[in-house]
Amino acid sequence: MDEKQENKLEQIIKYDEEYYMPVFGQRIPLVADHGKGVYLYGTDGKKYMDMIGGIAVNILGHGNSRLVRAISSQAKKVIHCCNYYYNEPQTMLAKKLVDMSFADKVFFANSGAEANEGAIKLARGYWSKKGTPKPKIITAKMSFHGRTLATIAATGQEKFRVPFAPVMPGFEYVPFNDIEAIKNTADAQTGAIMLELIQGESGVHPADFDYIQEVRKFCTQNKILLIIDEVQTGVGHTGTFFAYEQFGIQPDILTLAKGLAGGVPIGAVLANKMAATGFGVGDHGSTFGGNPLACAAGLAVIEEIESKNLLGNVMNVGGYIQKKLSNIAKKTKKIAEVRGKGLLIGIELDSGSAADVKMKLFEKGFLVSSIGSNVIRIAPPLNLSKLQAIKFTSALQDVLEGKE
Ligand SMILES: *Cc1c(COP(=O)(O)O)cnc(C)c1O
């Protein structure tokens, strides 16, 4: 690194400390400059294989030409037009998502938390419009649904809620993958159950197939809405466009965000005809939500996934990585468990600190995330090649074996 660049890195870190709210603590010393494909480059010119993809957001990697073309041509036409008017990308992205899914109606927001806010509100609206308010929502312990006040209330982890009490009432938390706990908790006031199919933020813990089947059955029998939070699992990371496709069920309400527009902020609430009646005229809205720029990006992301068969690639390359990691686990005895589906993978370390492994990988030019003390998470772009997967897994093996 030349001196000028080094000073720049130091200056940004110093300014961040001075001017930015300290919620991210000490960050990894990388100032993102630009990217190409799976690689992200720092302002110092260093190249990193981006195996976390902006936390499951950069689904086409960096600088994807279809996505860049869609964004720039839409920006030249119109970036924002308010929801007093119609805009074609918004309508066409809603139609596309309906065509691809269980859903009959869509609403666009700007983030995952905002999409979940919409889903919670829709469920409550549904029951009060029927004249039988059922405000209670059951969620899972160790879940993550966002950082806004309603979504921290939905999140089954105390550390996110306690400092910001009083939280919004009406949520009850049950252990994940435990159908009896749901049966024992639900009552006549329970209007919805809200779950992730893979708990991403708490360490990549997948739901059991049978559990989700039972939850669906229980919801149908007891007239409870099933909300599935696919903010992280949606848009292909698990090998199907929606993760619910692999659980043999259909939710009533589903949320998307992270990868949907390949990096442009967006969120979406999808609902079947019945649940969608929870919102009537004037019940919900968003100034930015469904703006033409984000929706044009969303359409380009889906076109690229379909035309390049990226879901097939996720199955192939994800399967390869999982197999390779199991081999590394056997060989090194440093990995306790490999979890996840497709290219959303959690690697639980047997010993040693995940933060240390993350930093050693960073020094070798690979970006991953660490969760808690002992889980490494990867959620790379869906177009990761097998060769890149090989480079990553062998770098990880070297780190675990203590090779320089
Ligand atoms: C990331 C995430 C959210 C929150 O999304 P934001 O865009 O950060 O608000 C909600 N639910 C799940 C499952 C997530 O992974």
Side-chain angles (χ1 to χ4, degrees):
M1 203 185 316
D2 68 31
E3 202 176 328
K4 203 169 133 224
Q5 291 301 341
E6 185 145 17
N7 290 342
K8 189 166 176 182
L9 181 72
E10 273 170 20
Q11 179 165 75
I12 292 291
I13 292 172
K14 203 165 141 273
Y15 278 175
D16 177 81
E17 255 168 44
E18 194 169 341
Y19 298 113
Y20 207 83
M21 295 199 191
V23 294
F24 303 114
Q26 180 92 54
R27 309 193 211 197
I28 289 171
L30 160 62
V31 181
D33 185 70
H34 67 282
K36 190 70 209 153
V38 72
Y39 294 101
L40 183 65
Y41 293 78
T43 47
D44 54 7
K46 273 198 203 152
K47 172 179 164 180
Y48 297 90
M49 189 186 284
D50 188 358
M51 293 298 286
I52 189 60
I55 320 184
V57 169
N58 300 108
I59 217 142
L60 305 178
H62 302 281
N64 174 269
S65 56
R66 188 193 299 264
L67 180 58
V68 171
R69 239 184 295 124
I71 292 169
S72 51
S73 73
Q74 185 59 51
K76 280 181 204 151
K77 291 207 281 184
V78 57
I79 292 174
H80 173 79
C81 90
C82 63
N83 286 309
Y84 295 159
Y85 320 111
Y86 300 94
N87 81 71
E88 189 176 332
Q90 179 186 100
T91 309
M92 297 315 287
L93 183 58
K95 177 179 188 304
K96 183 75 198 171
L97 289 170
V98 165
D99 289 345
M100 296 172 80
S101 73
F102 75 98
D104 299 301
K105 299 276 186 193
V106 176
F107 179 85
F108 291 116
N110 307 288
S111 69
E114 222 185 290
N116 286 336
E117 290 267 343
I120 292 162
K121 205 174 142 182
L122 183 66
R124 289 200 174 165
Y126 173 80
W127 290 111
S128 48
K129 280 198 167 49
K130 279 179 87 83
T132 50
K134 292 193 193 186
K136 272 169 48 176
I137 298 177
I138 295 175
T139 65
K141 291 188 176 160
M142 302 309 289
S143 57
F144 182 80
H145 298 296
R147 302 292 205 146
T148 59
L149 284 167
T151 59
I152 59 171
T155 292
Q157 300 188 60
E158 276 197 353
K159 67 177 179 196
F160 294 115
R161 293 196 300 269
V162 170
F164 309 102
V167 295
M168 180 179 147
F171 291 93
E172 288 178 309
Y173 317 104
V174 296
F176 194 47
N177 278 331
D178 181 349
I179 186 66
E180 291 308 316
I182 284 182
K183 289 182 179 171
N184 294 334
T185 305
D187 62 24
Q189 295 289 300
T190 305
I193 295 174
M194 180 170 181
L195 295 170
E196 294 156 272
L197 294 173
I198 298 177
Q199 292 187 326
E201 290 305 303
S202 62
V204 191
H205 293 279
D208 297 334
F209 181 89
D210 292 344
Y211 171 67
I212 296 300
Q213 290 267 314
E214 291 287 324
V215 172
R216 176 66 271 181
K217 216 184 292 165
F218 181 77
C219 285
T220 305
Q221 282 166 355
N222 294 281
K223 296 198 165 39
I224 293 170
L225 297 172
L226 178 58
I227 304 172
I228 297 290
D229 177 349
E230 291 225 33
V231 167
Q232 186 154 165
T233 55
V235 201
H237 260 112
T238 67
T240 46
F241 191 85
F242 301 96
Y244 78 79
E245 298 168 62
Q246 296 178 52
F247 287 83
I249 59 124
Q250 295 196 334
D252 299 299
I253 301 172
L254 178 142
T255 55
L256 293 175
K258 291 195 165 84
L260 181 56
V264 181
I266 193 170
V269 185
L270 281 61
N272 62 21
K273 210 173 260 159
M274 175 187 77
T277 60
F279 283 161
V281 176
D283 282 340
H284 201 49
S286 169
T287 300
F288 290 124
N291 73 74
L293 188 77
C295 292
L299 282 164
V301 165
I302 297 174
E303 273 166 28
E304 184 80 351
I305 289 174
E306 288 181 339
S307 68
K308 300 272 173 71
N309 185 23
L310 294 184
L311 298 178
N313 189 64
V314 170
M315 288 292 193
N316 279 335
V317 178
Y320 169 80
I321 294 180
Q322 297 217 26
K323 204 173 96 211
K324 186 79 198 189
L325 289 172
S326 309
N327 290 341
I328 296 173
K330 274 190 212 119
K331 236 173 120 180
T332 63
K333 309 253 186 281
K334 295 273 170 67
I335 296 175
E337 194 177 32
V338 179
R339 296 186 292 262
K341 286 183 188 296
L343 282 174
L344 178 58
I345 300 173
I347 305 159
E348 186 170 322
L349 304 178
D350 197 43
S351 58
S353 129
D356 280 356
V357 171
K358 174 178 72 178
M359 284 315 291
K360 289 198 179 119
L361 282 168
F362 173 70
E363 282 155 21
K364 281 182 180 290
F366 297 87
L367 306 178
V368 300
S369 86
S370 62
I371 300 174
S373 62
N374 62 350
V375 178
I376 296 285
R377 170 180 49 178
I378 60 168
L382 309 189
N383 48 16
L384 185 79
S385 73
K386 182 146 175 218
L387 190 62
Q388 290 159 346
I390 291 171
K391 281 189 188 156
F392 168 71
T393 49
S394 56
L396 178 66
Q397 181 166 356
D398 286 350
V399 167
L400 293 176
E401 288 176 340
K403 284 192 199 141
E404 282 312 305

